[in-house]
Amino acid sequence: MESEEREKWLLAGKIGKEIRELGVSLCVPGAKLLDIAEAIEKRTIERGAKPSFPPNISINQIAAHYTPKYDDKTELKKGDIVKVDVGASVDGYLSDTAASVAVGEEGNKLVSATKEALDAVIEIMKPGISVSEISTVIDDKIRSFGFSPIVNLGGHGIGRYSLHEGEFISNSKNYSGSFLRKEGVVAVEPFATNGGGYVIDSAEVQIYQLVANKNVRSTLGREILKYIAEEYNELPFAKRWIINKFGRLAEIEIRNLVAAGSLHEFNVLKERDNGLVSQFEHSFLFDDGKVIVTTL
Ligand code: MN
Ligand code: MN
């Protein structure tokens, strides 16, 4: 890998770690989700990066894909299990990292289960390792705490301007027979729950992604689509960002762009049995036969 490229992956990881830790530090009783998300976004930009995707701040039974609404009033309560999942983009070189907190509590077992699962992965990680080896370590660790891994969420390869590509790294034991790349970046993200271990789409959507640049009839729709293409490329973005920029009418245009096939929706994901969910995630860089955890 060229050194310039390596430096950008590493910087994206370093900023990712910083904004994850900032987010976690703000998860206290009474804190507003919107304030936490905006603080993370502000810091990302101050560091000369852009968000890889909107900060996901998902509470309790919500596993992922929640980012605050433009007028979100939600406040954290003591005992909430909060997943802070964030990433930084440095010229399209991305990080993706997450941590969980039990608000106002120490030593929560569900949080420890996913933290220890990810720590166990760090111990064995190397370029070209088999996917099933990682999945087994995650599954065993989470079950040793008496919880279930979420089977339909998992790690993934990352490319430039591409948050999910290539490998899928399951959180449950499998015989996939596939191997991780030897050069480049992957994210590993154990999820644990006291539910059955399966997430489903809820009706709510706060995060979107450009998938096709089709003709749009309305002037505002065209303007929004152009902005999305220029500002986010094909990385996920928040409805809140578009409303803040273009006003409330943008909400209707977003719906039209989805219907026209220009935007993909990321539904908010919930645990099927309403189990509580925790998650940790790191990005790993493989280069020259070695592994670096860029977000550690
Ligand atoms: Mn993530
Ligand atoms: Mn991820």
Side-chain angles (χ1 to χ4, degrees):
M1 185 177 293
E2 300 283 332
S3 73
E4 195 186 332
E5 191 185 345
R6 184 170 51 243
E7 290 312 310
K8 285 179 179 174
W9 285 122
L10 293 176
L11 180 59
K14 193 171 174 220
I15 298 168
K17 172 196 174 161
E18 213 177 292
I19 57 177
R20 181 195 69 227
E21 288 180 342
L22 171 67
V24 164
S25 73
L26 296 173
C27 288
V28 294
K32 281 201 172 66
L33 288 202
L34 184 56
D35 293 342
I36 299 171
E38 288 185 337
I40 290 168
E41 290 161 8
K42 183 165 174 276
R43 175 72 62 85
T44 309
I45 287 158
E46 280 168 5
R47 296 287 274 108
K50 285 183 174 186
S52 297
F53 51 89
N56 285 214
I57 309 174
S58 307
I59 304 175
N60 295 335
Q61 290 83 359
I62 298 174
H65 296 172
Y66 187 82
T67 197
K69 298 183 262 291
Y70 80 98
D71 59 349
D72 209 302
K73 302 278 188 289
T74 315
E75 292 183 3
L76 295 180
K77 298 186 299 293
K78 187 170 170 6
D80 279 344
I81 304 290
V82 187
K83 282 105 349 203
V84 176
D85 190 344
V86 297
S89 166
V90 174
D91 195 19
Y93 295 89
L94 309 176
S95 58
D96 184 3
T97 183
S100 294
V101 249
V103 175
E105 285 178 12
E106 293 288 326
N108 180 280
K109 246 180 80 180
L110 185 62
V111 170
S112 301
T114 38
K115 168 87 169 62
E116 287 196 20
L118 187 56
D119 287 345
V121 171
I122 293 172
E123 291 295 313
I124 61 160
M125 188 57 113
K126 58 184 183 210
I129 190 173
S130 82
V131 167
S132 68
E133 199 175 331
I134 295 174
S135 303
T136 299
V137 160
I138 291 172
D139 189 316
D140 284 345
K141 183 60 80 177
I142 288 172
R143 288 191 195 283
S144 78
F145 279 81
F147 300 115
S148 296
I150 291 187
V151 301
N152 59 332
L153 290 175
H156 49 91
I158 297 179
R160 191 173 179 207
Y161 286 113
S162 174
L163 193 57
H164 296 100
E165 64 166 41
E167 305 91 329
F168 174 71
I169 307 162
S170 172
N171 288 321
S172 71
K173 276 186 196 176
N174 60 79
Y175 304 94
S176 83
S178 57
F179 298 85
L180 296 190
R181 60 193 67 191
K182 291 189 168 131
E183 281 281 303
V185 177
V186 302
V188 178
E189 46 187 312
F191 284 82
T193 179
N194 58 1
Y198 198 86
V199 291
I200 52 170
D201 281 352
S202 71
E204 183 173 4
V205 180
Q206 297 298 339
I207 299 174
Y208 300 81
Q209 182 179 358
L210 179 66
V211 284
N213 219 322
K214 300 207 174 144
N215 278 333
V216 186
R217 238 172 286 145
S218 90
T219 311
L220 180 58
R222 268 199 302 277
E223 223 182 300
I224 290 172
L225 201 56
K226 182 167 174 281
Y227 180 78
I228 290 166
E230 287 172 0
E231 201 64 24
Y232 312 124
N233 206 302
E234 285 175 23
L235 293 174
F237 63 89
K239 188 195 281 181
R240 164 171 54 88
W241 295 348
I242 303 302
I243 291 176
N244 286 344
K245 171 83 184 167
F246 293 95
R248 285 299 308 274
L249 283 176
E251 206 160 0
I252 300 155
E253 297 298 338
I254 288 174
R255 215 172 304 145
N256 293 338
L257 291 170
V258 170
S262 291
L263 299 181
H264 169 74
E265 300 179 296
F266 291 93
N267 294 70
V268 171
L269 297 173
K270 281 185 158 171
E271 213 282 328
R272 189 173 50 189
D273 306 321
N274 275 320
L276 298 170
V277 179
S278 72
Q279 173 210 18
F280 276 78
E281 180 175 22
H282 277 306
S283 298
F284 298 79
L285 171 69
F286 303 130
D287 181 36
D288 201 18
K290 292 190 288 290
V291 55
I292 300 172
V293 190
T294 69
T295 50
L296 191 62

